[in-house]
Amino acid sequence: MIEQALEEALAQCKLTRSEFSELLVRLLDYGVICRDESNIETVLYDRFQRCEPLIREWVSPLGLRLQHDRRFQFIRVYPPGAEVPGMPDQEEPHHGGFRARLSQQEVAAILVLRVEYDKSLREGQVDDQGCVALTLEALELGLRNLLKMSLPDKLAERKQLLKKLRQLRLIQFSGEESEAVVETLLRVRPTIAQFVSEAALAQLLEGGGEVPAAETVTRAEARLTPSSEDQSLFAESQE
């Protein structure tokens, strides 16, 4: 019965089973799809829009929840027990098996990205896609000033850090093999605004340079995020 129901639903969406599987696997593997990231994600995002109710129906029994930001065209999947923007908390406890494990260096960089994003947002330095420009030098300076930390000295470790931030769809940068020098220009995505909680920011600004715990960083709060899971983070008046 499940097989037949799936085939009928896919026929209505005008998708093959392999196309549906590719989309679902990619979403669960990466945890986020951004339309402007690559040609592949453009195709997958457009495909998601054709079968969004079906995707939601399939991930719901797993305790996974989705947020779809239509303005900035990204989808993020939240693990069981996570706080999802605009949605009530789940009552059942979960042990975090789906959650990404972030290093202290990654948490620190994400916090600084959020602080720099907020600063640019207040100054109106945001492009049409909701992104802000940030040099690697500015990221380094923010780490030193806020957390008394620095970027990794080794080039390979810097590349790995940037790769992780891009994998989380928090930044973009040119080139698959960035040399990670101070002139590297990053684009900080609007996704950063929902990735870092107000509690983490408060702890950062008041904690005397201590890095908040990873689980605090990634706990979104309603004030930062849309009133429902399929609205944008920003009101049209903020353009």
Side-chain angles (χ1 to χ4, degrees), residues 5-194:
L6 176 60
E7 293 296 339
E8 292 174 355
L10 290 176
Q12 291 180 356
C13 298
K14 297 181 179 179
L15 292 178
T16 65
R17 181 177 295 200
S18 62
E19 289 172 333
F20 178 75
S21 176
E22 180 187 20
L23 170 58
L24 195 56
V25 168
R26 175 82 173 211
L27 186 59
L28 295 179
D29 185 22
Y30 281 65
V32 59
I33 291 175
C34 292
R35 193 179 191 277
D36 65 350
E37 175 67 21
S38 64
N39 291 335
I40 291 176
E41 295 208 0
T42 296
V43 171
L44 293 176
Y45 178 87
D46 292 344
R47 189 181 299 170
F48 173 84
Q49 293 202 101
R50 291 160 57 189
C51 65
E52 179 173 349
L54 184 59
I55 291 288
R56 290 185 180 277
E57 184 178 345
W58 273 72
V59 302
S60 178
L62 300 176
L64 305 176
R65 294 184 288 179
L66 302 177
Q67 180 172 9
H68 179 194
D69 189 306
R70 289 182 169 84
R71 181 179 178 189
F72 295 125
Q73 299 182 312
F74 65 84
I75 314 140
R76 187 176 292 279
V77 60
Y78 289 83
E83 294 183 23
V84 181
M87 299 180 69
D89 295 342
Q90 292 174 319
E91 296 181 359
E92 293 296 323
H94 293 275
H95 299 288
F98 277 95
R99 297 177 188 274
R101 299 296 189 267
L102 300 177
S103 69
Q104 185 182 51
Q105 182 73 65
E106 290 163 354
V107 170
I110 289 169
L111 285 167
V112 173
L113 289 178
R114 173 61 197 277
V115 170
E116 294 297 329
Y117 187 88
D118 280 8
K119 178 182 176 182
S120 295
L121 189 62
R122 290 193 300 270
E123 295 173 352
Q125 299 176 357
V126 182
D127 65 20
D128 292 340
Q129 286 74 47
C131 298
V132 305
L134 184 71
T135 64
L136 205 62
E137 183 179 21
L139 177 59
E140 173 88 40
L141 185 61
L143 283 167
R144 291 185 184 277
N145 290 341
L146 291 171
L147 297 169
K148 298 179 177 59
M149 296 177 65
S150 61
L151 291 171
D153 293 329
K154 295 182 179 179
L155 180 60
E157 293 177 358
R158 287 196 176 199
K159 286 184 177 182
Q160 186 61 36
L161 174 61
L162 293 181
K163 182 179 178 181
K164 179 64 175 183
L165 297 177
R166 183 169 62 179
Q167 183 182 33
L168 292 170
R169 300 299 183 257
L170 300 177
I171 65 168
Q172 290 178 305
F173 57 86
S174 299
E176 289 300 316
E177 295 295 334
S178 169
E179 291 302 316
V181 294
V182 292
E183 292 82 6
T184 299
L185 186 64
L186 310 176
R187 292 181 77 230
V188 186
R189 291 180 174 275
T191 52
I192 190 70
Q194 65 187 132

